[in-house]
Protein backbone atom coordinates (compact mmCIF):
# COMPACT_ATOMS: atom_id res chain seq x y z
CA UNK A 1 0.00 0.00 0.00
CA UNK A 2 1.20 3.52 -0.77
CA UNK A 3 0.39 6.82 0.88
CA UNK A 4 1.32 10.48 0.72
CA UNK A 5 1.67 12.43 3.96
CA UNK A 6 1.45 16.21 3.70
CA UNK A 7 3.25 17.84 6.64
CA UNK A 8 2.95 21.42 7.86
CA UNK A 9 5.78 22.61 10.09
CA UNK A 10 6.69 25.59 12.24
CA UNK A 11 8.32 28.44 10.29
CA UNK A 12 12.06 28.09 9.73
CA UNK A 13 12.21 24.44 10.82
CA UNK A 14 12.38 22.71 7.42
CA UNK A 15 15.99 21.53 7.79
CA UNK A 16 15.43 20.16 11.30
CA UNK A 17 12.26 18.27 10.29
CA UNK A 18 13.85 16.92 7.09
CA UNK A 19 16.77 15.60 9.18
CA UNK A 20 14.38 13.95 11.67
CA UNK A 21 12.37 12.36 8.85
CA UNK A 22 15.50 10.98 7.16
CA UNK A 23 16.16 8.97 10.34
CA UNK A 24 12.79 7.20 9.89
CA UNK A 25 13.67 5.69 6.51
CA UNK A 26 11.96 2.31 7.02
CA UNK A 27 8.76 3.13 5.08
CA UNK A 28 9.75 6.47 3.59
CA UNK A 29 10.38 6.30 -0.15
CA UNK A 30 10.84 10.05 -0.71
CA UNK A 31 10.85 13.22 1.35
CA UNK A 32 10.10 16.35 -0.67
CA UNK A 33 10.06 19.96 0.52
CA UNK A 34 7.10 21.54 -1.31
CA UNK A 35 5.19 24.79 -1.68
CA UNK A 36 1.48 25.17 -1.09
CA UNK A 37 -0.61 24.29 1.93
CA UNK A 38 2.00 21.77 3.12
CA UNK A 39 5.72 22.28 3.69
CA UNK A 40 6.92 18.69 3.23
CA UNK A 41 5.46 15.76 1.27
CA UNK A 42 6.46 12.24 2.29
CA UNK A 43 5.83 9.19 0.11
CA UNK A 44 5.29 6.04 2.20
CA UNK A 45 4.97 2.37 1.31
CA UNK A 46 3.94 -0.39 3.72
CA UNK A 47 0.90 -1.98 5.31
CA UNK A 48 -1.94 0.19 6.56
CA UNK A 49 -0.79 -0.44 10.15
CA UNK A 50 2.82 0.46 9.33
CA UNK A 51 1.73 3.67 7.62
CA UNK A 52 -0.57 4.56 10.53
CA UNK A 53 2.19 3.97 13.08
CA UNK A 54 4.67 6.02 11.04
CA UNK A 55 2.29 8.99 10.85
CA UNK A 56 1.67 8.74 14.60
CA UNK A 57 5.46 8.73 15.03
CA UNK A 58 5.73 11.88 12.87
CA UNK A 59 3.56 13.72 15.40
CA UNK A 60 6.27 13.18 18.03
CA UNK A 61 8.47 15.63 16.10
CA UNK A 62 7.66 18.87 17.95
CA UNK A 63 8.28 21.09 14.89
CA UNK A 64 5.44 19.38 13.00
CA UNK A 65 2.17 21.29 13.30
CA UNK A 66 -0.21 19.12 11.22
CA UNK A 67 -0.23 16.08 8.97
CA UNK A 68 -2.68 14.97 6.29
CA UNK A 69 -2.35 11.43 4.98
CA UNK A 70 -3.69 10.39 1.60
CA UNK A 71 -3.85 6.61 1.18
CA UNK A 72 -3.91 5.04 -2.27
CA UNK A 73 -7.04 3.02 -3.03
CA UNK A 74 -7.77 0.56 -5.78
CA UNK A 75 -10.64 1.55 -8.04
CA UNK A 76 -12.12 -0.60 -10.79
CA UNK A 77 -12.87 1.92 -13.53
CA UNK A 78 -14.50 -0.75 -15.70
CA UNK A 79 -12.36 0.07 -18.72
Amino acid sequence: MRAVCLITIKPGKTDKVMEALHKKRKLLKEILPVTGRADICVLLQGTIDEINNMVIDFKKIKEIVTTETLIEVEVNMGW
Side-chain angles (χ1 to χ4, degrees):
M1 174 167 283
R2 295 185 301 179
V4 173
C5 186
L6 304 175
I7 300 173
T8 304
I9 61 174
K10 293 178 182 176
K13 300 296 182 179
T14 303
D15 291 342
K16 188 169 186 177
V17 173
M18 294 279 290
E19 183 178 319
L21 292 172
H22 277 288
K23 293 178 182 176
K24 302 177 183 300
R25 293 294 293 179
K26 182 181 177 195
L27 302 178
L28 279 62
K29 298 303 172 195
E30 279 194 73
I31 304 169
L32 309 165
V34 296
T35 61
R37 73 172 190 235
D39 300 301
I40 297 172
C41 176
V42 178
L43 305 177
L44 303 163
Q45 187 163 358
T47 67
I48 187 73
D49 288 334
E50 290 171 329
I51 290 169
N52 185 49
N53 289 333
M54 181 62 64
V55 173
I56 289 169
D57 198 35
F58 289 168
K59 295 177 187 239
K60 295 176 185 174
I61 301 171
K62 64 183 179 181
E63 292 80 14
I64 291 178
V65 177
T66 62
T67 63
E68 179 180 358
T69 306
L70 310 171
I71 298 176
E72 179 182 39
V73 296
E74 290 184 27
V75 178
N76 182 357
M77 301 297 286
W79 295 335

